Amino acid sequence: MNSRNTTSWKQEGSIGILQLHNPPGNYLTIPEFFPTDELQQKVNNGIKGLIITGSGRHFSAGADLKMIKKQLGEIHRFRKQLTQGNELLNFIETMKIPVMAAITGACFGGGLEVALSCHVRVCSKTALFAFPEVNRNLFPGMGGIRKLEEITGKATALELILKGDLINAEKAYELKLVDRVLPKKEVMNYAVDFLKTITRDRPLKVINSVMESLNNSRNMSFEKAVEKDVEMFCQLALEEFNKGEKNGET
Amino acid sequence: MVKRETEKKSLISWTVEQDIGFLVLDNPPGNSMTALFFDELKRLTTAITQSHIKALIITGRGRHFSSGADLESLIAAIKTDSTGNGKPMKEAKAMLLSHVLTFEFFSDLDIPVIAAIQGVCLGSALELAMHCHFRLCSNDALLGLPETGFGLIPGVGGIQKILQLSGKAKAIELILKGSNFAAADACKWHIADALFPKKELMEKAVQLAGIAVDGYRRYKKAEYLKRLTQPMTPA
């Protein structure tokens, strides 16, 4: 099965919605669940925000273990696929538009790694989270460990990954794993409204600069990131100034 | 152009009382941060270094902390850039980097630096406040980073600071929306530390200075704030 059968894409105005669509559990059949270059294409077409969500009751129950077992015969191929999955999640994490995970039901393993790659996470009151990999003597293989540690701190990350226990939405909020908990039927509308509200009046280059700056904090020192902010600020200011000149203002 | 200026009124007042330095943004009503203000702030860093104070309080004169940077000086710098033939945006970049260094002087101080925020605290003013170690707000304080509304972004470290304080989701929301938020919300989102009636704000700032001076950075920030906000027990 290829990724096209297990995801669907739609757009609401300038907000793209990528739906994991492999019901009922929305298992990720391959790690690169949506082609990275195709996602890049969508961005090039000018979307200002992205929502990742699951079709039906669940976000995603994670990787399909049966699939993994089958693939293990061809370890090189599997390794390549996993690398491509990692690249997709890193691509999502460093996107220069805000990316939001709208989570209902199960959000496990690889599914949780997808959610952690997003910039904002909103979930339903009945959502459940877990990294169950350890129960099969595995661990999150798509960069989820680092992302979890960044969000929750090392102690919580260790506990969640080594225990492999299920946690509910309330606990997830307490651990900063999600940013907002809402009644199930409000989750999707909230996500769309949130992204529309914050991007509506903003030119794409301003959105891109803000997101780039926030992403810089991950791989640069504070001072270096601020220096980049200054550069981006000047670029935007120059464009605004030139625009003002054209309109006869000074 | 005749190069003669009347003696300028100081835009920042600087006093020391009982080992506490008071840096007051003094250009009412808005205490706007002009190019001259930034020059003065930079010069004051030397005085602060030499002063042997044990704590520093930054606040605004009158009703407001500050309405932030005025765009005039920025536009002037960009004009110089676009008429000159130096590297693109050399002037404006150098100016902002100098502001960044001045703000970082305050966050790097090894004495407690407390922002006492009343009224509005917007844009670069909030960026300065976020470079302080503590932010105490009056109930009526109004904070915000409105830059994106002008097609810009916070340029003096504000994005990185608010990210550290409030986390990514809230930072994205507040920066892109650009709308003002109340002090109570700022506390909820960890951007401000505590909230007081306007009349008590300075008194509390001085009190916190006293508490934090005693073994500063020996405890977690929350410990100092707990001691500040706990009701006084009669002796």
Side-chain angles (χ1 to χ4, degrees), chain A residues 98 119-120 179 194 197-198 202 206-207 209-211 213-215 217-218 222-223 225-227 229-234 236-238 240-241 250, chain B residues 74-75 78-79 82 89 92-93 96-97 100 104 148-155 157 159-161 163-164 168-169 171-173 175-178:
Chain A
H119 307 128
V120 185
D179 302 295
F194 180 92
T197 307
I198 63 171
R202 302 291 173 253
V206 170
I207 296 170
S209 300
V210 171
M211 294 311 300
S213 166
L214 293 169
N215 292 334
S217 71
R218 279 193 39 244
F222 182 88
E223 288 75 17
V226 173
E227 213 179 300
D229 289 356
V230 167
E231 268 169 43
M232 288 192 283
F233 178 97
C234 288
L236 291 169
L238 184 64
E240 281 299 305
F241 174 73
T250 45
Chain B
L74 176 76
I75 289 168
I78 291 170
K79 260 187 185 162
S82 42
M89 299 303 285
K93 214 179 276 181
L96 273 162
L97 284 173
V100 165
E104 284 174 3
T148 57
F150 307 113
L152 302 172
I153 57 173
I159 298 183
Q160 306 303 325
K161 282 289 177 190
L163 173 64
Q164 286 180 347
K168 196 181 270 182
I172 291 173
E173 182 184 347
I175 297 167
L176 284 180
K177 255 193 193 165

Side-chain angles (χ1 to χ4, degrees), chain B residues 14-22 53-57 205-206 209-210:
Chain B
W14 164 246
T15 50
V16 178
E17 273 173 57
Q18 293 176 333
D19 291 338
I20 299 173
F22 290 86
I53 51 169
K54 288 181 178 164
L56 175 62
I57 294 174
V206 171

